[in-house]
């Protein structure tokens, strides 16, 4: 096979070589070509038949000499040469029948050109003259195979520069492999299958996520290839995508985006550090404020306890004062109560005495009433009638009116002066 890639493509082929080069070709390949199948050069010539025929001819010649009665040196020489030729032919036949199969390989045995069976590693003897090992197939080594796919389009139909696909495969059935396809044809089939699988996978990926194909899970591709190659007796044991190459312009675009993403990540990291520093500072401030608050709370609690002590002391003093005032009030109340009780007793005794002297008191009261009535009657005012009308023939002169005006106030003031115990001056003068 020849895959268009620069020094990274793999090629599988078969080679024709002598038995001495079989191991070298199977293990190391030839000029960068992987060779899992070697066709050994057939060395079982029919040359060993010549000594056998010569030996038989010599024996027949000796027999003829014996029949003719010649028992001399000629018959002995014929018998001796015939035996030697037969031994040489038999030895040549034994030596050419030995076949040694390398470890990790299987030999495909053919008889008359038809595949009969496979030979396991070790020494085998092919006694049949027309049996030979047609192919030596490596069935133990995992063959590394690299298949880059060029110009592989993505979902947006952007052709990728290349996608490199690496896998390891192993031949599981030597007879099926050499009889069905062969190494040369298998290289073409494998290349076509790998390219088809890679293009299907690339069609499912967006261009900007093409680098995600590196090291991605390709188990579905491996299963697909195994289903396709199982008919040829080949099994893929592992595969991956080691590298993806984008177009130069798009790669530059992704490099710019990656640079911007890195700058953004650096900015985010720097902002994260700044935010963390600020958060730490705020937490330190919060802790400091908590300590100040706790100290103030302690001070407030101390002040509160002190205020409570003072309030308790004041309450105790107020209670003592209230108790003292209560005692004083109770003492004064008891004293007042005793005085009231004594006064009530005195009043009761006095009332008893008044009830005993009721008749005397009524007599004295009646006498007092008479005295007061007599005194009031003696001090009662005297009415003065002054007639000023002219119908009765009285004096209506101006002199009479003047005298009445002077005597009237004195007459009214006289009872008041007598009540006070003093004689009225005007009245005395008037009487004189």
């Amino acid at each position: 096979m020849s895959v268009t890639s620069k020094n990274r493509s793999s090629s599988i082929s078969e080679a024709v070589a002598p038995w001495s080069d079989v191991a070298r070709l199977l293990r190391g390949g030839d000029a960068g070509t992987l060779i899992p199948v070697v066709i050994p050069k057939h060395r079982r010539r029919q040359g060993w038949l010549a000594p056998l025929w010569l030996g038989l001819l010599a024996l027949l010649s000796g027999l003829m000499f014996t029949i003719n009665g010649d028992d001399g040196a000629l018959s002995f020489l014929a018998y001796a040469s015939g035996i030697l030729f037969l031994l040489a032919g038999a030895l040549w036949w034994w030596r050419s029948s030995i076949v040694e199969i390398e470890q990790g390989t299987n030999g495909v045995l053919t008889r008359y050109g038809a595949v009969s069976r496979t030979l396991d590693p070790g020494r085998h003897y092919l006694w049949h003259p027309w049996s030979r090992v047609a192919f030596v197939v490596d069935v133990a080594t995992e063959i590394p195979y690299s298949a880059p796919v060029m110009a592989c389009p993505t979902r947006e139909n952007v052709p990728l520069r290349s996608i490199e696909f690496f896998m390891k495969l192993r031949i599981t059935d030597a007879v099926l492999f050499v009889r069905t396809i062969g190494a040369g044809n298998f290289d073409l089939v494998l290349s076509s299958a790998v390219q088809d699988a890679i293009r299907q996978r690339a069609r499912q990926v967006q261009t900007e996520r093409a680098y995600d194909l590196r090291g991605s899970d390709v188990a579905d591709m491996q299963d697909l290839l195994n289903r396709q190659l199982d008919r040829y007796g080949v099994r893929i044991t592992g595969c991956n995508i080691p590298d993806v190459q984008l177009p130069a312009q798009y790669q530059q675009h992704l490099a710019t985006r990656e640079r911007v993403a890195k700058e953004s990540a650096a900015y985010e990291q720097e902002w994260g550090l700044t935010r963390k520093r600020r958060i730490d500072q705020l937490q330190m401030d919060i802790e400091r404020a908590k300590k100040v608050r706790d100290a103030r709370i302690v001070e407030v609690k101390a002040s509160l306890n002190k205020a409570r002590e003072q309030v308790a002391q004041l309450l105790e003093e107020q209670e003592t004062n209230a108790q003292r005032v209560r005692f004083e009030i109770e003492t004064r109340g008891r004293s007042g109560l005793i005085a009231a009780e004594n006064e009530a007793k005195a009043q009761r005794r006095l009332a008893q005495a008044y009830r005993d002297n009721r008749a005397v008191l009524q007599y004295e009261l009646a006498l007092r009433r008479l005295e007061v009535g007599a005194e009031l009657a003696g001090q009662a005012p005297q009415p003065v009638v002054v007639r000023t009308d002219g119908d009765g023939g009285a004096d209506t002169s101006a002199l009479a009116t003047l005298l009445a005006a002077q005597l009237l106030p004195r007459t009214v003031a006289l009872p008041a002066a007598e009540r006070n115990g003093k004689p009225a001056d005007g009245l005395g003068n008037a009487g004189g």
Side-chain angles (χ1 to χ4, degrees):
M1 181 194 81
S2 179
V3 179
T4 58
S5 179
K6 295 181 179 180
N7 300 325
R8 302 189 67 175
S9 60
S10 298
S11 177
I12 298 177
S13 181
E14 58 188 15
V16 179
W19 281 97
S20 58
D21 294 338
V22 170
R24 179 183 64 81
L25 292 174
L26 291 177
R27 296 294 180 266
D30 185 17
T33 302
L34 302 175
I35 300 178
V37 179
V38 175
I39 302 175
K41 290 183 179 180
H42 184 57
R43 61 185 182 182
R44 299 195 66 188
R45 308 294 182 183
Q46 274 71 31
W48 53 273
L49 292 175
L52 290 179
W53 287 112
L54 289 176
L56 290 175
L57 182 61
L59 290 177
L60 289 175
S61 299
L63 182 61
M64 293 294 294
F65 289 143
T66 302
I67 293 173
N68 292 328
D70 187 1
D71 295 333
L74 291 176
S75 61
F76 177 76
L77 182 61
Y79 282 120
S81 60
I83 293 173
L84 289 177
F85 279 122
L86 287 176
L87 289 176
L91 182 62
W92 193 350
W93 181 26
W94 171 79
R95 182 67 185 86
S96 63
S97 66
I98 296 175
V99 175
E100 293 180 355
I101 305 299
E102 294 288 336
Q103 182 65 34
T105 62
N106 283 340
V108 179
L109 182 65
T110 61
R111 181 175 296 177
Y112 299 110
V115 176
S116 61
R117 62 187 179 93
T118 60
L119 300 179
D120 296 330
R123 174 173 288 188
H124 300 273
Y125 295 94
L126 306 180
W127 301 112
H128 196 281
W130 285 270
S131 296
R132 66 170 187 164
V133 178
F135 304 96
V136 178
V137 184
D138 188 354
V139 295
T141 305
E142 291 184 345
I143 303 171
Y145 187 84
S146 179
V149 180
M150 310 299 293
C152 187
T154 61
R155 182 184 297 179
E156 294 85 359
N157 205 25
V158 176
L160 302 177
R161 187 188 301 176
S162 67
I163 298 179
E164 185 174 355
F165 186 75
F166 177 80
M167 62 182 176
K168 295 180 294 183
L169 53 92
R170 184 169 62 87
I171 300 173
T172 58
D173 193 337
V175 175
L176 185 62
F177 181 77
V178 299
R179 187 172 57 186
T180 305
I181 189 169
N185 296 329
F186 176 75
D187 183 69
L188 297 175
V189 172
L190 180 61
S191 174
S192 176
V194 168
Q195 288 193 15
D196 183 62
I198 289 292
R199 293 182 186 279
Q200 288 181 9
R201 172 57 64 89
R203 278 294 186 182
Q204 301 174 0
V205 179
Q206 296 179 355
T207 308
E208 60 181 8
R209 302 182 63 88
Y211 281 131
D212 294 342
L213 292 174
R214 296 176 179 176
S216 61
D217 186 12
V218 291
D220 54 342
M221 297 176 60
Q222 182 176 344
D223 295 338
L224 176 63
L225 292 174
N226 280 328
R227 288 195 298 270
Q228 295 178 1
L229 302 179
D230 187 61
R231 70 187 69 176
Y232 306 124
V234 178
R235 183 74 179 174
I236 296 177
T237 59
C239 56
N240 64 346
I241 300 177
D243 190 21
V244 176
Q245 296 292 332
L246 296 175
Q249 184 177 1
Y250 200 85
Q251 191 171 4
Q252 184 179 2
H253 172 65
L254 287 184
T256 304
R257 291 185 58 182
E258 185 176 0
R259 179 175 55 81
V260 172
K262 288 182 178 179
E263 292 178 355
S264 177
Y267 176 76
E268 290 291 338
Q269 185 176 5
E270 182 180 0
W271 169 244
L273 294 175
T274 305
R275 182 176 58 185
K276 185 177 182 301
R277 192 181 304 113
R278 291 182 180 178
I279 291 174
D280 294 339
Q281 184 66 31
L282 290 175
Q283 289 180 351
M284 292 177 61
D285 294 340
I286 291 172
E287 293 296 330
R288 191 180 302 111
K290 286 182 179 179
K291 291 181 180 179
V292 173
R293 183 196 60 186
D294 294 339
R296 291 183 178 177
I297 289 174
V298 172
E299 293 178 358
V300 169
K301 287 183 178 180
S303 302
L304 183 59
N305 294 331
K306 186 176 180 181
R308 286 178 178 174
E309 292 178 358
Q310 293 177 357
V311 170
Q313 186 176 0
L314 291 175
L315 289 176
E316 186 177 358
E317 293 177 357
Q318 292 294 331
E319 187 177 358
T320 304
N321 294 332
Q323 190 73 18
R324 180 174 54 80
V325 172
R326 188 172 65 250
F327 288 157
E328 292 177 357
I329 292 173
E330 289 179 356
T331 303
R332 287 196 300 267
R334 289 192 186 97
S335 299
L337 181 60
I338 293 172
E341 289 178 354
N342 294 332
E343 186 177 358
K345 289 179 180 180
Q347 292 292 335
R348 281 196 301 270
R349 291 189 184 97
L350 182 60
Q352 185 67 32
Y354 282 155
R355 282 194 301 271
D356 294 341
N357 299 324
R358 186 173 183 180
V360 177
L361 290 175
Q362 289 179 355
Y363 173 75
E364 291 179 355
L365 180 59
L367 185 60
R368 184 64 177 168
R369 286 177 180 174
L370 292 174
E371 292 178 355
V372 171
E375 185 178 358
L376 290 176
Q379 295 179 1
Q382 301 282 328
V384 178
V385 179
V386 178
R387 292 183 178 272
T388 59
D389 53 350
D391 295 334
D395 189 3
T396 58
S397 64
L399 180 60
T401 302
L402 180 61
L403 290 174
Q406 290 180 356
L407 291 175
L408 185 59
R410 293 179 182 180
T411 303
V412 175
L414 179 60
E418 290 179 353
R419 282 195 301 270
N420 292 333
K422 295 181 181 180
D425 294 340
L427 185 57
N429 294 331

